[in-house]
Amino acid sequence: MLVNNAGILKAAPLAEHDDDLFERTFAINTRGTFNTLREAAARMNDGGRIVNFSSTALALKLPGYAIYNASKAAVEAFTAVFAKELRGRNIRVNAVAPGPVATELFLDGKSEEQIQQFAKMPPLERLGQPNDIAAVVAFLAGTQSGWVNGQVLRANGGLA
């Protein structure tokens, strides 16, 4: 089992992003996933499971998220293509795309007002909790999702 969940999020308008932040975002969010997928191709036993992390931010297209979204769009592309590249090995490759979840990654740098605004966006009117996402990862890793492969599951309280 491989779970690619390392990530950073620094929201800023595209025109205000500097090269260092661009490189850092892609190094962690995209290159890290690429490197572990490449290693999984060589090392993972047949029948394994891979869960990559994307983000519901892609669907929202919020100002300030262009670089972050681009890094996560690459992860979604990796997921769909890699699932097909592992044909014949019974390795399932999927992604989970959380909405706003009460984690340090999401909360860092946001005012209480911004946090409450995000909490009210989903129809369930709350931020996701880490255990909400853990349950989705467990589902994708388990036997009940045996026919799910190459998919992105958006766990976001109905936000998008």
Side-chain angles (χ1 to χ4, degrees), residues 2 10 13 16 18 26 52 57 61-62 65 67 69 71 76 86 90 108 116 124-126 133 144 148 156:
L2 168 63
K10 300 293 181 192
E16 296 174 16
D18 61 34
F26 272 84
N52 297 319
K61 299 173 181 64
L62 296 173
Y65 284 73
I67 302 304
N69 285 357
S71 73
E76 290 192 13
L86 294 176
N90 194 32
D108 186 42
Q116 289 308 311
L124 294 181
E125 296 185 321
R126 67 174 177 86
I133 306 309
Q144 292 182 331
V148 180
N156 57 33

Side-chain angles (χ1 to χ4, degrees), residues 10 29 49 58 105 124 136-137 148 152:
K10 300 293 181 192
N29 293 354
R49 306 289 179 260
L58 281 173
L105 176 73
L124 294 181
V136 174
V137 172
V148 180
V152 178

Side-chain angles (χ1 to χ4, degrees), residues 5-11 17 20-30 53-55 65 67-69 71-72 104-106 108 110:
N5 67 334
I8 63 167
L9 166 59
K10 300 293 181 192
H17 261 275
D20 289 338
L21 182 54
F22 177 91
E23 294 296 332
R24 187 167 180 242
T25 299
F26 272 84
I28 294 170
N29 293 354
T30 310
F53 267 69
S54 180
S55 174
Y65 284 73
I67 302 304
Y68 177 74
N69 285 357
S71 73
K72 292 302 187 174
E104 185 178 333
L105 176 73
F106 172 76
D108 186 42
K110 291 183 178 67

Side-chain angles (χ1 to χ4, degrees), residues 1-2 92-93 105 117 143 154 157:
M1 172 76 187
L2 168 63
R92 289 189 283 118
V93 184
L105 176 73
Q117 181 181 0
T143 58
R154 301 206 183 282

Side-chain angles (χ1 to χ4, degrees), residues 121-132:
M121 289 171 71
L124 294 181
E125 296 185 321
R126 67 174 177 86
L127 293 179
Q129 295 299 313
N131 62 343
D132 294 323

